[in-house]
Amino acid sequence: MNTTRSLQDLIKPFRDWYKNRHSYAETWKENHSQQVIGMMCTYVPEEILYAAGMLPVRILGGHEPQDVTEAHIFGMFCPFSRDALAQGLKGKYSYVDSIVLSHSCLHFRQTFTSWKMHLPLKWSYYLPMPNQVQSPYAKQEFQSEVKKFKEFIEKEIGKTITAEALKQGTSLMDKNRSLLRKIYELRKKENPPITGADAVYMAVTSQFISKEDHNTALEALLEKANEFTPSRETGVRLMTIGSENDDVQFFEMVESLPATIVCDEQCAGSRYFWNPTIDAGDPIQTIANRYVDRPPCPTKDYPERKRFPHILNLAKEYGVQGVILMQEKFCDPHEADNPALKRFLEENGIPTLTLEFDSTNPLGPLKIRVEAFLETLSAEELFS
Amino acid sequence: MNSYPTEPLKCWGKAKEIRQKYYENYAKAHDQGGLRWSGSAWSFDALAAGLGKDVYPLTGEPYSASIAANPEFNTACQAAADEKGWARDLCSYMRTYWGSMYLNRYLWGGPFPKADFALQIQICCSHSKWYQVVAEHEKIPFFCIDVGVGPYQSLDEARLTYVVNQMQDAIVFLEKTTGRKFDDQLFIEAVENECRSTSLWAEVCALNKAVPAPLDEKTMYSLYVLATLHKASKEVADFYEELRDEVKDRIKRGIAACPHERCRLITDTQPPWSFLKIYRYLEGFGAVSIGSLYTFGLEGIFADQPDGSWGPRPTPSQLGIQIKTREQGLRILADWNLSKPQWQHFYDPDLKTKMILRIVKEWKVDGVILHLNRGCEGLSLGIMENRLGVAKAGIPVMTYEGNMADEREFDMKKTLTRIDTFMETLKLTRLEEKVF
Amino acid sequence: MVVAGMDLGAKAIKVVILSEKGVSAKVKLFPDLDMAQSARKALEEALVQSGTELHELKRIVATGTGRSAAPGKPALVTEPLADAKGIIALLPLTRTVIDVGAEEGRGVKITPQGEVVDFAVNEKCAAGSGAFMESMARSLELKIEDFGEISLKATQAVPMNAQCTVFAESEVVSLIHANTPKSDISRAVHDATASRIAAMTRRVGIEKEVALIGGVAYNPGFVEALKRTLSLETLLIPDHPDFIGALGAALIAYEQAVN
């Protein structure tokens, strides 16, 4: 039996969703007659939205040239924030009824504010997610914010969100998280059956496809997981670290060299789903705690650096030989971490390559640099 | 052609002296067994004041702005930050401060005086990281307070409590770090001073509604800076009282900042500090920048006045509130700072556009110049929406690109050309042709 | 009464001589290193062409980045105002004028009287300028005159992914290596440049009619690309689009001389 082919069949839904995300959401809306909520940043407590029967979809960029945002967001801000706004202004997200931003960085806050100023919406909501998640008061504060958000949604839908519904929303989210963790487990294998590009398709689609559908597709794949033996060469085991960078073409290019991206620490990837909720009694507190405890966006990682040891653990667990630091151009949170992170990784024996990403990227120059990086890694092996 | 009488500010020398002494005090703090700390100009100055009268701050932004006015040193700082791998587009104040620290060079001579501790607040993507890196490099204790609880208009008990709780912990941190006992009375005095300083500065700014303006923005830069240095000190509060009285007197006597004022402008965000001559260039057209949301609202705490206009927020003591406990002082200090005008627009450019338009109306402004400041993510936030909002209201507006503390990103010639075009749209010609 | 308008651009000096009878001369000259001397030469040529003596000139108004080098102590105006005055005289329905020169692109919103309401200029970036297109044409080994024509023969829209000139050049090279037809690459370059210019102009708001001036207006490939990206059916283009700044300067000189 050609297992690789059947694996491709099982990955296909994710690829299709990635490409046809808007028609998926439009169809969902027709079938469910419920609001589709544009979610900005990965700190939005989606549990509340699922409990309310809504579909949260993460607002992402389109990775295509655009000329509609210069009047709204100054060019010193990250291309992602501009690309995502462009998608809105160009009407790609016309099915989105309302938007919610849970605070992480200032750049993307502008996508939210310009969106609410210039696009028709039922409502918009700003959730002040604490910056200082290490503060002993962050959980208490975020609990209060999540509670207010829940009450706001209740007013919107005109009914109470019961504790039972919250628990269902939470377990749906947790199930997705645990399934994605299992997918990532497969990548620890000596010859990972799942490529980094496959993982991007799966992790990113989980941010805008209904978790029910997404879980079903993940389960179908995992059921056959042990049968997979990859027909491709694994090559050098790499990890990507960055933000939203879901540049699948870049991942595919890297993995053709040959190399395999076996793990990531990105908000388009593992940062989004890594930790499940831990029951804290009160269902709102349970949800709030999960976001405070998750692997942080670099902008929230202070006074201590908790991100770095987490990254090092991942690198060790996944047998990573080299790290690609995907620096989104002008992204202050990552720029303020990367030089220190680079030093930290290299002190721990993990070579790094820093590449800068715009919303669209010429693959040629990137390929030359990745090839050179892979060569140095192989050379190190030769001499070690 | 207008020709108003003008004269230098009498208290100018004193402002200079306070600033000079401030930087000296910091450097020499250890000589007399005192303490020094560093943090942002947004940090809670009054908290550190509870440790004693010999505790001296070095606030990062004004320190870096001073370096920016010294191109040779600034270039060296930028190069030192580049060398450590920090991206050029990061906060240029932060990069400059780091550069000075890496070079171990203090702007006023000698080695960079290492702080005993860092006390910081988190407002943007840089502030916490700024002192995280400082703490790591200098190996000093670091405490940070998160004030990101949303705009003041939606402040509630839980949000205020989050900030106050962190301040309580900051006190524990300060005592533990320094081995000193926190003195509530000193702290309460400092809170009162801070409220007095920042309310008085707002009052001074409100006085600039007068035509002709008694102060121009370039002069205001040298005055508001004292609040960015040490707003909780009695000296700064007293200085602003003196300044307020002098400005009132200037208005009474019709003393103008610029003798040929015929067009009133406001700007936005920090200027490119080593190119303040653009303000003189504007004055060549009779155009005077009479302030900005930045010069007014970074340190001035404003509130609606009984007549509906914008002016100083009444201090607790003006409202008859006597601060009796630490808890009460903390709550007042948190609430006061969260009402800062310059903090509101971080959440929504619409709030800033409204404040800009309010200034345009009440301060009788003819045009707005927005500095697209590549050096500051926080204050440039939403600035293109501000541009749209101001233009939509029918107010002439121009933008120029630059960087408050990295002159590599500022093009003087192009900026002056742009100002020329803007002056053309305002139908202003150079005064030299007619006057001189 | 005879007046002169001069536009001292980054790459070319344009001179227009104007009298009550209309334009009597127009001269375009590529300056050498000595801008002042070249400007004098251009003015002299224009005077000869119009049969005017220097002392007959009532007034000179100069615009353009090199305007301070213009001879005869002229009055100076900036490019947006000169553009506005020039275009409104020829195409009075214009409300937005886009001027793409060698070094800079500009979007200017104007009144029916040719006054500047609002303007935007591209910032320190070559990717939205004539110089960028020339450099890309060189990479393709095409003459700049043919570059635009060839792009019209494109059969597909290839996106340019590079956002800056340095990378754009290497991207063009990769496209050539990938055997992408020159016509398609050419269109990609025109689309990318037009997109930059459109983005900048959107800052002031696109109000119809929209006119395109500057040397780039001669390039049919750029005109089509700009129309596409702005979703415009018509883009007004005056005769001699590279002389509009100089014409505007001459009109201002005339107005000032009369008053």
Side-chain angles (χ1 to χ4, degrees), chain A residues 72 76 106-107 109-110 114 116 118 128 130-132 137 144-145 148 298 301-303 305 330 335 337 339, chain B residues 85-87 89 122 125 128-129 132 136 144 146 156 158-159 162 169 346 348 373 377 381-382 384-385:
Chain A
H72 304 286
M76 70 181 265
L106 293 193
H107 294 245
R109 196 184 276 179
Q110 294 176 108
S114 287
K116 77 188 175 95
H118 302 288
N131 286 302
Q132 198 157 335
Y137 310 105
S144 143
E145 295 300 341
K148 276 179 263 180
D301 196 34
Y302 70 92
R305 293 194 189 272
F330 304 144
E335 282 175 352
D337 258 19
Chain B
W86 301 111
D89 54 282
Q122 168 67 344
C125 300
S128 56
K129 295 286 161 178
Q132 183 178 48
E136 284 169 351
C144 196
D146 177 13
D156 62 20
R159 292 177 177 182
Y162 174 55
D169 280 9
F346 275 68
D348 196 336
N373 180 359
E377 175 210 30
L381 200 68
M384 295 310 286
E385 292 293 358

Side-chain angles (χ1 to χ4, degrees), chain B residues 51 69 71 82 104 143 156 161 168 201 329 331 357 375 382:
Chain B
L51 291 174
D82 283 345
N104 194 23
F143 195 90
D156 62 20
T161 303
Q168 293 277 17
W201 177 249
R331 290 179 66 88
L357 293 176

Side-chain angles (χ1 to χ4, degrees), chain A residues 90-192:
Chain A
K90 286 157 117 182
K92 299 274 174 72
Y93 282 103
S94 53
Y95 54 86
V96 161
D97 296 286
S98 311
I99 53 171
V100 52
L101 169 73
S102 191
H103 166 66
S104 55
C105 71
L106 293 193
H107 294 245
F108 213 74
R109 196 184 276 179
Q110 294 176 108
T111 310
F112 174 76
T113 51
S114 287
W115 195 297
K116 77 188 175 95
M117 287 168 99
H118 302 288
L119 290 164
L121 290 170
K122 287 201 173 79
W123 51 264
S124 64
Y125 194 95
Y126 175 73
L127 240 171
M129 166 73 197
N131 286 302
Q132 198 157 335
V133 289
Q134 293 175 21
S135 159
Y137 310 105
K139 286 180 178 168
Q140 181 191 339
E141 161 60 5
F142 197 48
Q143 191 271 354
S144 143
E145 295 300 341
V146 175
K147 186 161 169 280
K148 276 179 263 180
F149 180 54
K150 186 200 91 159
E151 287 160 3
F152 173 83
I153 297 289
E154 285 175 333
K155 249 188 218 156
E156 280 303 318
I157 58 174
K159 63 176 187 195
T160 312
I161 298 173
T162 61
E164 195 44 46
L166 284 175
K167 276 182 189 159
Q168 276 170 18
T170 304
S171 68
L172 181 67
M173 291 289 296
D174 276 342
K175 183 170 180 188
N176 190 251
R177 288 165 185 145
S178 94
L179 291 171
L180 282 167
R181 280 293 289 267
K182 283 181 188 155
I183 295 284
Y184 270 47
E185 279 296 309
L186 298 173
R187 303 170 74 191
K188 286 183 180 169
K189 291 187 176 184
E190 196 180 333
N191 289 307

Side-chain angles (χ1 to χ4, degrees), chain B residues 80-262:
Chain B
D82 283 345
E83 205 176 298
K84 295 274 181 186
W86 301 111
R88 273 198 183 193
D89 54 282
L90 281 170
C91 166
S92 57
Y93 281 164
M94 177 169 83
R95 284 173 45 91
T96 306
Y97 186 98
W98 287 349
S100 176
M101 172 182 80
Y102 291 139
L103 294 169
N104 194 23
R105 238 178 100 186
Y106 193 45
L107 175 61
W108 287 275
F112 184 72
K114 183 172 142 176
D116 298 308
F117 59 89
L119 178 64
Q120 177 64 322
I121 45 84
Q122 168 67 344
I123 51 164
C124 61
C125 300
S126 305
H127 271 64
S128 56
K129 295 286 161 178
W130 181 335
Y131 284 91
Q132 183 178 48
V133 169
V134 169
E136 284 169 351
H137 184 81
E138 304 270 45
K139 300 186 177 55
I140 57 169
F142 164 43
F143 195 90
C144 196
I145 296 171
D146 177 13
V147 295
V149 292
Y152 190 61
Q153 63 189 27
S154 61
L155 186 66
D156 62 20
E157 185 55 32
R159 292 177 177 182
L160 186 69
T161 303
Y162 174 55
V163 178
V164 170
N165 279 342
Q166 293 176 75
M167 291 165 123
Q168 293 277 17
D169 280 9
I171 294 173
V172 175
F173 161 85
L174 291 173
E175 289 188 323
K176 210 174 122 194
T177 299
T178 64
R180 290 192 178 192
K181 176 116 184 60
F182 188 83
D183 183 325
D184 284 341
Q185 203 43 50
L186 284 179
F187 165 67
I188 288 167
E189 278 167 28
V191 173
E192 280 165 350
N193 285 332
E194 172 165 341
C195 295
R196 195 155 65 89
S197 297
T198 50
S199 176
L200 277 164
W201 177 249
E203 192 180 345
V204 169
C205 296
L207 288 171
N208 229 27
K209 291 176 185 177
V211 179
L215 298 172
D216 63 298
E217 190 175 26
K218 190 166 174 287
T219 303
M220 293 173 98
Y221 289 143
S222 302
L223 303 168
Y224 95 106
V225 72
L226 301 182
T228 70
L229 301 177
H230 209 1
K231 53 181 155 288
S233 74
K234 181 169 183 304
E235 197 179 21
V236 170
D238 289 347
F239 172 81
Y240 283 136
E241 209 160 290
E242 195 181 324
L243 172 67
R244 189 259 330 260
D245 294 343
E246 190 183 341
V247 172
K248 274 188 175 170
D249 178 61
R250 280 169 80 93
I251 294 170
K252 207 164 74 191
R253 296 188 294 119
I255 305 296
C258 169
H260 306 300
E261 173 181 319
R262 57 175 176 160

Side-chain angles (χ1 to χ4, degrees), chain C residues 85-232:
Chain C
K85 290 288 180 198
I87 198 71
I88 215 75
L90 298 179
L91 300 165
L93 293 178
T94 305
R95 292 299 167 268
T96 308
V97 51
I98 299 175
D99 180 355
V100 185
E103 260 192 353
E104 253 188 9
R106 263 184 298 280
V108 188
K109 194 179 214 169
I110 64 174
T111 66
Q113 291 72 39
E115 282 157 351
V116 176
V117 181
D118 202 352
F119 65 102
V121 185
N122 71 339
E123 308 279 349
K124 284 195 275 179
C125 173
S129 71
F132 172 69
M133 286 198 286
E134 284 188 21
S135 127
M136 293 301 114
R138 270 198 303 278
S139 307
L140 283 168
E141 295 173 337
L142 287 173
K143 280 193 215 149
I144 186 75
E145 301 85 66
D146 302 333
F147 190 38
E149 282 295 341
I150 284 172
S151 78
L152 297 176
K153 296 186 186 121
T155 53
Q156 53 173 339
V158 182
M160 280 280 283
N161 290 318
Q163 306 272 339
C164 92
T165 318
V166 182
F167 281 140
E169 196 136 7
S170 74
E171 192 172 6
V172 164
V173 173
S174 340
L175 287 170
I176 295 170
H177 289 163
N179 291 324
T180 313
K182 277 191 183 180
S183 55
D184 291 352
I185 304 177
S186 167
R187 172 170 165 176
V189 171
H190 285 90
D191 282 346
T193 314
S195 166
R196 284 296 172 114
I197 295 294
M200 173 200 69
T201 312
R202 285 185 205 281
R203 280 194 189 186
V204 298
I206 309 282
E207 201 179 317
K208 285 184 189 169
E209 298 293 327
V210 181
L212 175 66
I213 63 170
V216 172
Y218 287 115
N219 175 333
F222 180 78
V223 172
E224 282 311 306
L226 191 60
K227 276 158 75 174
R228 258 198 308 273
T229 189
L230 290 175
S231 311
L232 286 174

Side-chain angles (χ1 to χ4, degrees), chain A residues 68-309:
Chain A
V68 295
T69 58
E70 199 170 311
H72 304 286
I73 301 181
F74 177 35
M76 70 181 265
F77 293 97
C78 81
F80 172 51
S81 64
R82 287 178 275 139
D83 187 9
L85 176 63
Q87 297 301 304
L89 294 174
K90 286 157 117 182
K92 299 274 174 72
Y93 282 103
S94 53
Y95 54 86
V96 161
D97 296 286
S98 311
I99 53 171
V100 52
L101 169 73
S102 191
H103 166 66
S104 55
C105 71
L106 293 193
H107 294 245
F108 213 74
R109 196 184 276 179
Q110 294 176 108
T111 310
F112 174 76
T113 51
S114 287
W115 195 297
K116 77 188 175 95
M117 287 168 99
H118 302 288
L119 290 164
L121 290 170
K122 287 201 173 79
W123 51 264
S124 64
Y125 194 95
Y126 175 73
L127 240 171
M129 166 73 197
N131 286 302
Q132 198 157 335
V133 289
Q134 293 175 21
S135 159
Y137 310 105
K139 286 180 178 168
Q140 181 191 339
E141 161 60 5
F142 197 48
Q143 191 271 354
S144 143
E145 295 300 341
V146 175
K147 186 161 169 280
K148 276 179 263 180
F149 180 54
K150 186 200 91 159
E151 287 160 3
F152 173 83
I153 297 289
E154 285 175 333
K155 249 188 218 156
E156 280 303 318
I157 58 174
K159 63 176 187 195
T160 312
I161 298 173
T162 61
E164 195 44 46
L166 284 175
K167 276 182 189 159
Q168 276 170 18
T170 304
S171 68
L172 181 67
M173 291 289 296
D174 276 342
K175 183 170 180 188
N176 190 251
R177 288 165 185 145
S178 94
L179 291 171
L180 282 167
R181 280 293 289 267
K182 283 181 188 155
I183 295 284
Y184 270 47
E185 279 296 309
L186 298 173
R187 303 170 74 191
K188 286 183 180 169
K189 291 187 176 184
E190 196 180 333
N191 289 307
I194 303 283
T195 65
D198 295 338
V200 171
Y201 284 119
M202 285 185 254
V204 174
T205 52
S206 78
Q207 305 183 359
F208 50 74
I209 296 301
S210 160
K211 295 288 188 282
E212 279 112 357
D213 291 345
H214 204 262
N215 288 347
T216 308
L218 287 174
E219 277 171 330
L221 195 149
L222 283 164
E223 212 173 288
K224 300 226 171 194
N226 287 325
E227 297 169 22
F228 304 148
T229 40
S231 53
R232 60 187 289 284
E233 190 187 336
T234 301
V236 180
R237 298 176 71 90
L238 297 173
M239 174 177 182
T240 53
I241 298 179
S243 50
E244 179 282 328
N245 318 81
D246 63 329
D247 307 78
V248 274
Q249 285 170 335
F250 171 76
F251 282 74
E252 281 162 0
M253 179 273 284
V254 172
E255 293 185 318
S256 73
L257 286 179
T260 302
I261 295 157
V262 294
C263 188
D264 73 79
E265 198 267 350
Q266 295 179 234
C267 68
S270 71
R271 283 214 294 265
Y272 171 68
F273 64 79
W274 203 249
N275 64 325
T277 60
I278 295 168
D279 191 5
D282 169 38
I284 302 278
Q285 190 72 62
T286 301
I287 295 166
N289 290 359
R290 187 263 161 198
Y291 289 89
V292 173
D293 286 335
R294 59 163 267 193
C297 169
T299 201
K300 294 182 189 288
D301 196 34
Y302 70 92
E304 233 186 282
R305 293 194 189 272
K306 296 199 170 174
R307 224 187 126 217
F308 292 8

